[in-house]
Amino acid sequence: EGRRQECPFQPKISETSRRIIEAKRQGLQRSFSEGAIGLNTLGPVEARLYADAQLMEQKRLLRQQSAGELAQVSVDEGSKRICESSVYFQGAQQDFLTRQQTFEAARQRRREIRARHAEDKCSFQPSIASKSRQLVAGNLDFLQSTPRATTERLAVKDLGRRCQRREQLLE
């Protein structure tokens, strides 16, 4: 009592706040009488919070159970067979993070192999057969042919000849 006299500030609820609270209480009592809400809504705050926490816990448990059932239902026979036979899903590899690390190591290994192949010198050295050389040497079209003449022959003359043959075949 002595401390209260020492503190000049005495908090009070304003009339507007009091009317808002009264209106809410009347609305809750009306809903309760109609059966729309439960008794725990009208009780003390602790009881309401505890009831809400219990309800949320029940919902969480139901979600976990339904998620577990869905996970079991969604795996088809082919996927089960793959999981059972693949080395990535056996033993220590069953853990997701361990599997991810294994996959990353395999990707790194493939990158290294590709890099080594790219750095290697190509041992394949193509050569033209002697018969092909003889055919080219005997063909007058290829003798002393310039790049421009070769382009002219391939782009114009051969194209014209192909078009004529196509027309003959269609007739």
Side-chain angles (χ1 to χ4, degrees), residues 151-164:
T151 304
E152 174 73 19
R153 180 177 48 83
L154 293 174
V156 179
K157 292 179 183 175
D158 286 354
L159 179 65
R161 202 171 49 232
R162 279 195 305 265
C163 289
Q164 286 176 352

Side-chain angles (χ1 to χ4, degrees), residues 110-125:
R110 287 193 299 272
R111 279 189 214 118
E112 290 170 1
I113 291 171
R114 283 189 203 114
R116 265 189 269 133
H117 282 294
E119 292 170 359
D120 287 345
K121 292 184 179 178
C122 184
S123 62
F124 175 70
Q125 297 294 326

Side-chain angles (χ1 to χ4, degrees), residues 7-124:
C7 296
F9 177 71
Q10 298 292 322
K12 293 183 181 179
I13 296 175
S14 70
E15 269 310 303
T16 308
S17 298
R18 192 181 309 277
R19 278 185 274 163
I20 291 171
I21 291 172
E22 283 298 320
K24 284 191 173 195
R25 280 188 186 148
Q26 288 175 357
L28 286 173
Q29 288 174 346
R30 204 173 314 116
S31 297
F32 176 70
S33 64
E34 294 170 357
I37 60 171
L39 183 60
N40 61 357
T41 309
L42 294 177
V45 174
E46 299 84 13
R48 287 197 314 260
L49 291 174
Y50 184 72
D52 288 345
Q54 283 184 325
L55 182 64
M56 286 174 36
E57 181 66 17
Q58 288 174 353
K59 287 180 180 179
R60 185 185 64 78
L61 290 173
L62 284 173
R63 276 195 311 266
Q64 281 182 342
Q65 289 173 351
S66 65
E69 292 170 3
L70 288 176
Q72 292 172 356
V73 171
S74 67
V75 178
D76 65 344
E77 291 300 317
S79 297
K80 283 182 183 177
R81 191 175 60 251
I82 290 170
C83 289
E84 290 168 359
S85 64
S86 175
V87 293
Y88 291 114
F89 297 99
Q90 303 297 320
Q93 302 293 334
Q94 286 180 323
D95 178 35
F96 174 76
L97 293 176
T98 307
R99 220 171 29 249
Q100 291 300 100
Q101 291 170 349
T102 305
F103 291 149
E104 180 58 33
R107 274 193 295 272
Q108 184 63 30
R109 209 171 330 129
R110 287 193 299 272
R111 279 189 214 118
E112 290 170 1
I113 291 171
R114 283 189 203 114
R116 265 189 269 133
H117 282 294
E119 292 170 359
D120 287 345
K121 292 184 179 178
C122 184
S123 62
F124 175 70

Side-chain angles (χ1 to χ4, degrees), residues 128-158:
I128 298 175
S130 61
K131 186 71 174 173
S132 297
R133 286 180 202 257
Q134 290 171 2
L135 287 172
V136 169
N139 191 340
L140 294 176
D141 287 337
F142 292 120
L143 291 177
Q144 298 178 350
S145 177
T146 64
R148 186 179 184 125
T150 304
T151 304
E152 174 73 19
R153 180 177 48 83
L154 293 174
V156 179
K157 292 179 183 175
D158 286 354

